Amino acid sequence: MNNFSFDELQKKDLLTALGLWLVVEIVSFVLFPTVGLINPGARLRTWFLLSIPFGLGGAVLLSMSSRFVATAGNRPQRRLSELLGQFGGWIGLAGILFPFVMVCIEFFTNLNLPR
């Protein structure tokens, strides 16, 4: 596996997920509107308020699922435990990337391409 204990693995993954979420927040809610790539108006505030629980919850879920997968070898249904842990990790990652997905949808729906 690796040189981390299960508690250190969970803490490392939590800090990494929170760092990723902060970068996504800055890019989505500061950089893109400032550069003029998107102009969502009042929807930006709603997206920001939704992204806080999704991002924090996603980071926690991601760190918990990494520990769950790491300890799956000690369980009787090892394969099922691994699949549940991986599913939780993907759901957590979706919560972390929620703001970026919303900003990309806004950008591509308002993109005016020449015909």
Side-chain angles (χ1 to χ4, degrees):
M1 194 169 114
N2 58 21
N3 295 332
F4 294 105
S5 72
F6 294 137
D7 291 334
E8 290 174 355
L9 176 69
Q10 188 173 3
K11 183 170 41 170
K12 180 182 72 87
D13 287 344
L14 178 65
L15 293 176
T16 302
L18 286 173
L20 175 64
W21 175 67
L22 284 175
V23 169
V24 168
E25 289 280 313
I26 290 169
V27 167
S28 299
F29 297 126
V30 176
L31 184 65
F32 279 11
T34 302
V35 174
L37 291 176
I38 62 167
N39 188 12
R43 290 183 305 221
L44 190 67
R45 180 175 168 22
T46 304
W47 294 343
F48 179 72
L49 292 176
L50 282 174
S51 73
I52 293 172
F54 285 164
L56 295 176
V60 169
L61 184 61
L62 188 70
S63 69
M64 288 173 47
S65 67
S66 69
R67 182 182 171 135
F68 191 77
V69 169
T71 60
N74 302 333
R75 293 189 179 90
Q77 297 93 3
R78 179 177 172 229
R79 187 68 183 144
L80 179 63
S81 297
E82 288 175 352
L83 287 174
L84 286 173
Q86 290 174 356
F87 180 72
W90 281 107
I91 296 297
L93 191 59
I96 291 169
L97 294 177
F98 169 78
F100 188 69
V101 170
M102 296 309 295
V103 167
C104 286
I105 290 171
E106 176 72 20
F107 175 74
F108 286 114
T109 56
N110 294 327
L111 189 63
N112 293 324
L113 294 175
R115 293 180 184 226

